[in-house]
């Protein structure tokens, strides 16, 4: 994943944090394992993770069967869409998801008060070691995320729409920050540009929080988020499968198969 950075930024960062296993630390070391001077191209050594954004077990299994799935995100609307009602049913459903996918599964709290967020988050985190507690970007959410970070519970800060919110999430020790790309685009701003901005800020500030691009609406969003420096992209199954598609692939394959069939027929005719 190439990065082009400002000369001064590169200079400062190299002084502070030279590349290589000995001198690297934090996010910078993840992002900067090859530097080819003088073009200042940075290679990101992390591989952008693919999460599926759904509560639907059949879709989760289908994405998992592709072999490229690294995790799952859910939210109360997605759970409601599956008709999962009541605390026990919700807990069981998260457990069922964790049994399909060996990766992080975001489970969102419904509380908005710090003490209640903490209580709810503790219950969610106890379901399975892969559960990441999803907390909204509100004042009590920030306080709760700090508490979770101090107590070894991983969090995903959700409903993020600005760089300022992303800075707060990182300062609070969130494991993931979820900028909502599609909803930003819907409001006539550029969602992918926000990913770029957060990626730049996190890199120069050395924040460890991973950027989880959410509210993905198309395969192109996934590609653009990869270019912009997202650590994770969470998408509906349709957008993931959309990455497969190209008309020239279909046309090319049809021709290859047709030519092979003719060749086989010719061979059969000769005998
Ligand atoms: C993921 O964590 C978010 O809850 C989700 O991507 C929101 O997507 P939407 O804007 O399509 O509802």
């Amino acid at each position: 994943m190439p990065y082009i950075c400002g000369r001064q930024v590169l200079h400062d960062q190299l002084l502070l944090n030279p590349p290589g296993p000995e001198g690297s630390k934090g996010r910078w070391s993840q992002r900067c394992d090859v530097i080819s001077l003088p073009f200042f191209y940075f290679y990101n050594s992390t591989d952008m993770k693919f999460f599926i954004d759904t509560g639907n077990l059949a879709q989760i299994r289908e994405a998992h069967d592709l072999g490229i799935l690294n995790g799952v995100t859910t939210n109360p609307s997605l759970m409601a869409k599956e008709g999962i009602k009541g605390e026990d049913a919700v807990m069981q459903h998260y457990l069922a998801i964790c049994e399909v996918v060996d990766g992080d599964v975001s489970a969102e709290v419904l509380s908005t008060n710090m003490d209640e967020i903490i209580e709810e988050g503790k219950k969610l985190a106890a379901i399975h070691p892969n559960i990441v507690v999803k907390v909204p970007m509100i004042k009590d959410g920030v306080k709760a995320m700090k508490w979770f970070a101090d107590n070894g519970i991983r969090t995903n800060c959700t409903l993020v729409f600005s760089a300022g919110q992303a800075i707060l999430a990182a300062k609070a020790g969130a494991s993931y920050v979820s900028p909502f790309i599609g909803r930003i685009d819907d409001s006539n701003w550029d969602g992918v540009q926000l990913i770029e901005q957060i990626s730049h800020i996190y890199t120069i500030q050395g924040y460890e929080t991973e950027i989880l691009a959410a509210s993905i609406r198309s395969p192109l969003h996934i590609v653009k988020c990869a270019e912009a420096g997202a650590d994770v992209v969470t998408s509906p199954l349709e957008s993931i499968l959309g990455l497969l598609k190209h008309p020239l692939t279909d046309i090319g394959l049809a021709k290859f198969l047709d030519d092979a069939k003719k060749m086989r027929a010719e061979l059969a005719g000769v005998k």
Side-chain angles (χ1 to χ4, degrees):
M1 193 177 299
Y3 273 79
I4 307 172
C5 282
R7 185 180 295 260
Q8 190 59 43
V9 170
L10 173 70
H11 174 77
D12 292 345
Q13 288 293 339
L14 280 176
L15 284 181
L16 285 170
N17 197 7
E22 297 300 314
S24 343
K25 59 184 179 194
R27 186 177 188 85
W28 191 256
S29 62
Q30 289 177 3
R31 290 218 175 272
C32 192
D33 65 349
V34 176
I35 296 180
S36 75
L37 293 168
F39 298 105
F40 308 117
Y41 269 90
F42 293 179
Y43 252 83
N44 182 355
S45 62
T46 60
D47 147 27
M48 187 177 79
K49 285 178 267 182
F50 270 50
F51 288 4
I52 187 166
D53 193 26
T54 185
N56 184 284
L57 280 173
Q59 291 189 6
I60 293 170
R61 284 196 195 95
E62 187 174 342
H64 176 257
D65 288 350
L66 265 180
I68 51 90
L69 192 65
N70 306 113
V72 180
T73 53
T74 61
N75 64 38
S77 308
L78 292 171
M79 295 295 275
K81 202 170 155 192
E82 298 309 311
I84 319 286
K85 291 185 207 112
E87 195 181 333
D88 286 351
V90 167
M91 299 277 180
Q92 281 306 316
H93 198 73
Y94 286 136
L95 186 59
I97 294 174
C98 291
E99 281 165 359
V100 176
V101 180
D102 184 19
D104 288 348
V105 174
S106 288
E108 188 159 343
V109 296
L110 302 176
S111 309
T112 52
N113 150 290
M114 177 189 166
D115 292 334
E116 287 168 15
I117 294 173
I118 291 173
E119 281 318 301
E120 206 184 330
K122 284 198 283 192
K123 280 190 202 162
L124 291 169
I127 298 173
H128 191 280
N130 287 349
I131 291 283
V132 175
V133 180
K134 209 171 173 191
V135 180
M137 171 39 76
I138 54 175
K139 197 194 265 184
D140 280 56
V142 171
K143 293 182 200 169
M145 282 187 288
K146 179 71 175 76
W147 187 93
F148 286 130
D150 291 344
N151 288 276
I153 292 177
R154 294 176 309 133
T155 56
N156 172 358
C157 181
T158 191
L159 290 165
V160 167
F161 295 90
S162 75
Q165 292 178 322
I167 291 172
L168 268 183
K171 292 291 289 177
S175 316
Y176 295 102
V177 64
S178 288
F180 277 32
I181 304 311
R183 294 193 198 184
I184 292 172
D185 285 1
D186 292 344
S187 64
N188 211 17
W189 290 74
D190 187 342
V192 171
Q193 212 169 63
L194 178 62
I195 298 289
E196 277 169 24
Q197 189 185 13
I198 297 171
S199 177
H200 178 70
I201 292 170
Y202 278 17
T203 300
I204 61 173
Q205 295 295 332
Y207 293 142
E208 300 279 348
T209 302
E210 291 191 63
I211 304 167
L212 193 165
S215 185
I216 295 293
R217 301 277 161 79
S218 67
L220 187 59
H221 260 161
I222 300 177
V223 174
K224 290 286 175 191
C225 286
E227 273 182 337
D231 298 292
V232 189
V233 73
T234 189
S235 332
L237 180 63
E238 199 187 5
S239 300
I240 298 174
L241 295 179
L243 291 172
L244 284 166
K245 289 184 196 152
H246 198 288
L248 290 179
T249 303
D250 299 339
I251 293 167
L253 181 62
K255 174 93 172 83
F256 288 156
L257 294 180
D258 193 47
D259 287 346
K261 197 171 154 192
K262 282 182 196 150
M263 191 58 69
R264 277 200 300 269
E266 257 182 54
L267 280 173
V270 168
K271 282 179 189 167

